[in-house]
Amino acid sequence: MSLGDFLSQSGSKWLRDEGPDSDIVISSRLRIARNLAGQSFPTIATEKDQRYVLEAVRQAASGSAVRRLGEFEMLVLKDISDLDKQVMVEKHVVSPALVDAPGGAVLLRKDEEMSVMVNEEDHLRMQCMLPGYQLDQALKMADELDDAFEETLDFAFDENKGYLTACPTNVGTGMRASIMLHLPVLVVTGNINRILSAVTQVGLTVRGIYGEGSDALGNLFQVSNQITLGQSEQEILSNLHGVANQIIEHERVARQHLLREARMRVEDRVCRSFGILAYSRQIDSKEAMQRLSDVRLGIDLDIIKGVSSSILKELMVATQPGFLQKYYGHEMSPGERDIKRAALIRERLRMDSQGLK
Amino acid sequence: MLCEHCGKRPATVHLTEIVQGQKSEYHLCETCAREKGEAAYQAIAGAFSVNQLLSGLMNFDPWVQERVETAAPPRCEHCGMTFNQFSQIGRFGCPHCYDAFSPGLDSLLRKIQSSDQHVGKVPKRRGGAIGMKRELQKLRLELQQRIAEERFEEAAHLRDRIRYLEQQTGT
């Protein structure tokens, strides 16, 4: 199978498509936690409880209200190979916790923009994942999915505490909204730390997607709401918007400033990174992420042309161990993985230069 | 610096906790940190999860301390989880635990959330009555405002709507 076919078959829609503000916002994700009234939470659920929940969700999913929202498939995790589970985690379609959860399952829409994890920390965790900055759209979709399930399922809800969840950090709206931001210039100029600490003051959290704090691999950060109780869904999103817009603006201004002040240095760094990705014979994931981040910045600043801008998110996922193993068809030692990672990146870059997208 | 808790051994565990932008610092010796809660100890051990942080919060909470020491801590009749277990793992056993652990829970929620009162979405099918109650509260507030602003015509409309809703909900 060609790499192009492989990526379009194994990748989710959010990995291929572009969205609003996608020069900085890689993706928007929104999930809401729901539990069935009167049922033990997965914390202490027995195998029988888990089967009951799974059946209830399966039945609700086969109802007309859910089917109106698209074609879904129910995957029970214990029936899936470890490799396929790993690939789903790498695509952010399911959480690592679901893979370890006994009795876990996922209801997946064909385009993988919508999924429902069953028997993770809560009975249902509905998730919408979209490319670019589309949190409002993600909330609208998740809301529709929630309403569709609620037509036939009784959710645990309390007038004062809202939707009841296994962990008190999710109670109320049960909603966690997050955006993945690419902030290479704020990292280079050291301004990122100031911003990160400011964000935590307003009920939001920031963390590196891979790696920790300001050492985030690939300069990718996730901003999400911390609070789920005492604010409505719209209030939570508008807080997040307020902060996100400022961060986006800071990064844009910093990029223009950097271009004016140090164009040659930026061009040099970006083009060197492109050269390394295009010709290296072995590369570890840390270096790959940094080089991909540089190249993506080069594309956004119009220094590099003819390379698709989805390259960063596509390859940050496709160069993970599970994906590499899936594409090359066998298990690898870390050393061999570095060799195959370099090969896959070279092949992906060739696709663009040959106009084979 | 000596340990804040025992005042004898040197403080080697420095724990900073940020809740709702409020920063609190604890300086403890390793022994007291271990006694005080897993969270502080885990901070030096490295691994640190939300649930551990939660159980740390609860163990620092005087209300919880009291409860832990009394003979019969609250227990959820529905699923059998005790408050101690909850404070260990930081997760509830079932929806009824929220009622069973209610008194201590509200102070915890105010710490980790912005309040202990839900103002977001209500389920459409089951929450109809709750939705109407919410709307009533909102309309009554608006009515007061209109009267204060002497916009009596609008106030009259609001009053009619409130009456209608009151009949519907039987309040």
Side-chain angles (χ1 to χ4, degrees), chain A residues 2-33:
Chain A
S2 80
L3 181 61
D5 290 344
F6 172 72
L7 288 175
S8 63
Q9 270 177 33
S10 312
S12 310
K13 195 153 175 281
W14 74 271
L15 283 171
R16 293 189 299 271
D17 293 1
E18 293 286 297
D21 295 309
S22 55
D23 57 331
I24 291 172
V25 187
I26 303 294
S27 63
S28 303
R29 170 155 59 159
L30 193 137
R31 71 121 173 89
I32 43 183

Side-chain angles (χ1 to χ4, degrees), chain A residues 32 34-45 121 123 142-144 146-147 149-173 200-201 203 226-233 235, chain B residues 18-23 50-51 53-54 58 78-81 85-86 89-99 102 105-106 108-127 129-131 133-134 137:
Chain A
I32 43 183
R34 296 288 184 259
N35 287 283
L36 303 185
Q39 287 292 313
S40 294
F41 292 140
T43 326
I44 57 159
E121 187 180 288
H123 293 149
D143 203 35
E144 283 171 1
D146 178 38
D147 288 343
F149 274 106
E150 207 254 337
E151 276 194 18
T152 52
L153 295 177
D154 284 344
F155 289 141
F157 181 85
D158 176 85
E159 200 177 326
N160 297 311
K161 302 275 182 292
Y163 290 96
L164 304 178
T165 53
C167 183
T169 52
N170 296 315
V171 70
T173 59
T200 55
Q201 303 284 316
Q226 177 103 52
I227 287 164
T228 55
L229 184 64
Q231 293 178 351
S232 70
E233 287 81 354
E235 279 175 281
Chain B
I18 302 174
V19 179
Q20 306 283 312
Q22 288 216 343
K23 203 161 127 186
V50 177
N51 293 335
L53 184 66
L54 265 183
M58 315 251 304
H78 190 84
C79 71
M81 182 172 276
Q85 286 173 322
F86 165 62
I89 56 175
R91 269 176 285 154
F92 296 107
C94 75
H96 299 275
C97 291
Y98 278 88
D99 285 333
S102 173
L105 189 57
D106 286 355
L108 173 74
L109 287 177
R110 280 192 298 272
K111 268 189 198 171
I112 60 171
Q113 301 277 3
S114 70
S115 88
D116 54 11
Q117 187 66 44
H118 178 60
V119 293
K121 183 175 180 177
V122 266
K124 290 216 160 54
R125 186 169 46 84
R126 285 181 62 229
I130 302 167
K133 257 167 112 175
R134 285 259 175 92
Q137 283 172 352

Side-chain angles (χ1 to χ4, degrees), chain A residues 181-289:
Chain A
L181 300 167
H182 182 226
L183 306 172
V185 179
L186 287 178
V187 171
V188 159
T189 57
N191 282 320
I192 193 75
N193 288 322
R194 214 163 36 90
I195 290 168
L196 297 192
S197 61
V199 166
T200 55
Q201 303 284 316
V202 290
L204 303 176
T205 54
V206 192
R207 59 179 191 84
I209 303 286
Y210 307 99
E212 286 303 318
S214 51
D215 292 332
L217 284 189
N219 304 312
L220 292 166
F221 295 87
Q222 179 166 297
V223 181
S224 55
N225 64 301
Q226 177 103 52
I227 287 164
T228 55
L229 184 64
Q231 293 178 351
S232 70
E233 287 81 354
Q234 288 73 23
E235 279 175 281
I236 292 170
L237 283 199
S238 74
N239 281 346
L240 201 52
H241 284 316
V243 169
N245 284 328
Q246 280 185 49
I247 299 179
I248 293 169
E249 194 50 36
H250 277 302
E251 171 71 20
R252 287 212 176 112
V253 169
R255 285 180 184 187
Q256 290 314 314
H257 183 76
L258 192 68
L259 263 192
R260 275 196 311 276
E261 298 297 314
R263 173 176 275 276
M264 195 43 71
R265 273 174 60 200
V266 179
E267 287 192 0
D268 182 62
R269 171 164 166 173
V270 159
C271 294
R272 273 170 192 271
S273 287
F274 181 80
I276 287 170
L277 290 180
Y279 291 102
S280 73
R281 287 300 186 264
Q282 54 182 14
I283 191 164
D284 62 31
S285 68
K286 191 174 167 199
E287 182 179 0
M289 289 298 288

Side-chain angles (χ1 to χ4, degrees), chain A residues 17-84:
Chain A
D17 293 1
E18 293 286 297
D21 295 309
S22 55
D23 57 331
I24 291 172
V25 187
I26 303 294
S27 63
S28 303
R29 170 155 59 159
L30 193 137
R31 71 121 173 89
I32 43 183
R34 296 288 184 259
N35 287 283
L36 303 185
Q39 287 292 313
S40 294
F41 292 140
T43 326
I44 57 159
T46 62
E47 221 183 297
K48 193 167 148 244
D49 295 336
Q50 288 162 351
R51 271 204 306 273
Y52 175 87
V53 170
L54 182 59
E55 269 324 297
V57 175
R58 198 195 290 275
Q59 218 162 48
S62 66
S64 60
V66 176
R67 287 216 314 265
R68 256 200 304 278
L69 298 176
E71 199 183 320
F72 288 88
E73 186 186 4
M74 178 73 92
L75 304 167
V76 177
L77 263 77
K78 67 169 167 49
D79 301 338
I80 300 176
S81 73
D82 287 345
L83 178 59
D84 285 335

